[in-house]
Amino acid sequence: MSQIKIILVEDHQIVRDGIKSLLANSIDIEIVNEAENAYELFEILKTDLPDIILLDISLPTMSGIEIAKILAREFPSIKILMLSMYTSEDFVFNALKAGIKGYLPKNITRYELILAINEVYKGNEYFSKSISDTILKSYINNAKLNAKSSSEKLDNLTLREKEILRYVAEGYNNNDIVERLNISIRTVETHKTNIMKKLELHNVVELVKFAIKNNIIEI
């Protein structure tokens, strides 16, 4: 395998030296250049394109996240591996949105740093356990919030509205519902409008998806 070419972007010399020492004896990985800020990095990229950029978040003049956005747009072949002391949810998800392929804390071990570089080089994503835990925790919390939100919305419906919701989701048209419930078409339409408003839906397709997701109907 040819050597994996790395550019290291970090504004503290002592940190760069530490990372270089971790990778010094790796025969498959070579740090081909270093930069302290965005300007230096983009000057290097005019003549030297690496396989991976090891990128810090906290940098002078332009943050690592803003740099990552530009790299993802202008240099899509370069893979970005974020290496940062900031591991909170906001930083991680902003970095993910920017297009990074991996995220590591700065207290990473030599073994895991090399593993992450190789995985990202192969086209995979890599996140340290602490970062993966952050992502998973956020996903679970969001799922709980969404479930709670759907439940609260359903609780706002009257019994008649829930009944009409089920009929609409099952494919019954207004005339069918009129016959089954012995109410006027105007009443059916009013109920449907109120249901859409209370559930914050915009069309029947969204209503059907909501009904399936919340076990109102079965498929």
Side-chain angles (χ1 to χ4, degrees):
M1 184 178 86
S2 59
Q3 279 193 317
I4 302 171
K5 295 181 179 180
I6 305 284
I7 289 179
L8 175 57
V9 186
E10 162 63 54
D11 59 328
H12 293 100
Q13 182 69 52
I14 191 170
V15 177
R16 294 202 304 275
D17 290 344
I19 294 169
K20 286 189 291 184
S21 69
L22 290 177
L23 299 175
N25 297 320
S26 176
I27 60 173
D28 297 328
I29 299 170
E30 179 187 7
I31 295 181
V32 296
N33 224 319
E34 305 171 36
E36 293 187 7
N37 52 52
Y39 175 78
E40 290 184 3
L41 171 62
F42 291 119
E43 283 297 306
I44 292 169
L45 293 179
K46 290 178 180 179
T47 57
D48 192 7
L49 295 181
D51 299 303
I52 295 173
I53 291 178
L54 275 179
L55 181 62
D56 186 19
I57 280 185
S58 181
L59 294 168
T61 69
M62 183 184 293
S63 74
I65 289 173
E66 292 304 315
I67 292 173
K69 291 177 182 177
I70 296 172
L71 291 172
R73 183 175 67 248
E74 303 294 335
F75 303 93
S77 65
I78 299 175
K79 299 174 177 67
I80 307 163
L81 182 54
M82 197 68 80
L83 189 63
S84 177
M85 63 181 288
Y86 300 106
T87 58
S88 66
E89 181 179 322
D90 287 345
F91 283 104
V92 173
F93 279 92
N94 283 333
L96 284 169
K97 290 176 184 176
I100 66 159
K101 296 301 180 184
Y103 201 117
L104 303 170
K106 282 189 175 178
N107 61 352
I108 195 73
T109 64
R110 177 180 185 274
Y111 170 80
E112 191 166 17
L113 177 58
I114 292 173
L115 175 62
I117 289 171
N118 278 282
E119 286 298 311
V120 168
Y121 177 72
K122 289 186 288 187
N124 301 321
E125 294 182 339
Y126 188 92
F127 303 95
S128 68
K129 185 179 184 305
S130 62
I131 303 300
S132 295
D133 288 346
T134 296
I135 295 171
L136 180 60
K137 182 179 179 181
S138 176
Y139 175 81
I140 291 171
N141 287 340
N142 286 335
K144 287 179 178 178
L145 286 174
N146 289 336
K148 182 179 180 182
S149 176
S150 294
S151 176
E152 289 174 347
K153 288 176 182 177
L154 275 174
D155 288 343
N156 288 332
L157 298 184
T158 65
L159 290 175
R160 178 65 87 188
E161 287 169 346
K162 289 177 182 177
E163 196 172 17
I164 290 175
L165 167 61
R166 187 179 72 254
Y167 281 134
V168 173
E170 288 177 344
Y172 291 96
N173 61 35
N174 285 356
N175 289 328
D176 294 330
I177 297 172
V178 165
E179 290 182 10
R180 285 177 172 269
L181 300 181
N182 194 28
I183 56 179
S184 69
I185 283 186
R186 184 180 181 86
T187 301
V188 172
E189 290 175 346
T190 299
H191 280 311
K192 286 171 68 175
T193 299
N194 290 337
I195 291 167
M196 293 288 190
K197 185 176 181 179
K198 289 180 180 180
L199 298 183
E200 298 179 355
L201 304 175
H202 303 94
N203 52 56
V204 173
V205 173
E206 290 183 359
L207 188 147
V208 172
K209 289 180 179 178
F210 181 92
I212 294 170
K213 183 178 179 181
N214 291 279
N215 300 313
I216 295 168
I217 62 171
E218 296 181 356
I219 56 172

